Amino acid sequence: MAAAHISHGLYRLSVNLFNDTLFEGMWPLPQGCSMNSYVVKGYDVAMVDGVWGMDPAAPAALYRQLQGMGSDVGDIRYVVINHAEPDHTGWLKSLLEMTERVEIVATEKGVEIARSFYGADANYRVVHTGDTIDLGKGKILRFVETPNVHWPETMVTYEEFTGAVLSCDLFGSFGALGMAMCDDQMSGEQLGGYEDEALRYYSNVLAHFSPSVARAIETVKELDPAIIAPAHGPIWRGNPQRIMELYRRFTSFVDGPAEPVVTVIWGSMYGNTEKAIDPIVRGVTSEGVEAVVHRVPQTHVSHILASAWRSTGIILAMPTYEFKMFPPMAAVLEDLGRKQVINKLAFRVGSFGWSGGAQRELEEIVERQKMKWQFLEPVEFRGDAGVETLDLLKERAAHLARAVKERAVCRAAHPYSSPSLDGRGSGGG
Ligand code: FEO
């Protein structure tokens, strides 16, 4: 990978993570993930955000790309840390061994966090909203604090000459980047793929901080950016409004009402609960509502979070297991609660052989996690569901879908491209 010219005096360096890495140690990366770093060249050179240091090949790749554009480590005057998390700052250990000249620029909390990771002796500079650094040749970096876009120390950097907002996690997405790295270099299909991965990234990493992300989007809008250059995923140079609007849509789902979509999460031990899924899906789609179906534990919760985040309704179908819920379902519910999948319309379907108990555990988790889900009356069946039960399931799923249509805040689902992950298909109509 070589350094890429983005706009006048603005370059992007990058390292891709691939599927052998779990993002944050837990989220799968089937399409990879890019870690973008930016170089702004005036008379002085600034690097804005960087790459992780867990693999020494990452900083080495950054230095090679820097050399490829006619600079080297000794030329770097400033390193701007928009966000101190080590996926963007891990390389600093190696950089600080190579040069003492560099000044590390961050918010007050950013400096505090950076000191804890990279030592107190480096040359730090604290900046606040409105502070600037003039690099010469018209290149001025202006800093704008946007706290709690993931961590509390976050800010964005606005480069005044190009109108680029270097936004770090904000407006980011999973998905590795190749030669095409800007939206104006990609097909609609490629962009759709990155939008899928933006949703998964958002729901996995940023969802918990949605109110802060919403405030940060408004702050960035006031800058009227010509370019949005995040630290993960594509650079939005042709149409920066597109990613800002998509992210605004994501943040609005924190209230519960979202797209006219029902996420169906199910687990089965011997096929009896599985038999309930087809009538449930038929009930949902008979109302023109999209059903996205995930089987647990076969599907990683990363994907379930993505569809649950954009859904107005959730259906859970699982057997009882030792007086409680099927354990993989309980684990997924805990994660949905942690990630603020709240205020959803919901319906539970349970099967059992000799004892109930799943409902009690469900209520305990929903209450403890303050999820505020509003449930239709559950349907429980013993052993093999008969025709009457299957008909009831279809009708109740249709009932939920009707309520979802009324409550959804978007008239239609966004045209994300990912199919249902357990092969049962999805789609409205
Ligand atoms: Fe990309 Fe919150 O780090």
Side-chain angles (χ1 to χ4, degrees), residues 23-24 83 85 87-88 149-151 168-169 201 205-206 231-232:
F23 194 82
E24 289 190 324
H83 175 24
E85 191 167 8
D87 55 329
H88 309 289
V149 177
H150 205 197
W151 284 18
C168 204
D169 281 359
Y201 173 80
V205 178
L206 296 181
H232 302 294

Side-chain angles (χ1 to χ4, degrees), residues 261-265 290-294 304 307-308 311 313-316:
V261 176
V262 172
T263 289
V264 180
I265 311 167
E290 182 183 351
V292 184
V293 185
H294 299 288
I304 299 173
S307 69
S311 293
I314 310 270
I315 295 177
L316 309 171

Side-chain angles (χ1 to χ4, degrees), residues 84-104:
E85 191 167 8
D87 55 329
H88 309 289
T89 58
W91 70 298
L92 283 177
K93 269 190 183 152
S94 107
L95 180 78
L96 292 171
E97 285 167 7
M98 297 165 74
T99 174
E100 294 178 350
R101 177 175 183 262
V102 71
E103 199 170 355
I104 299 174

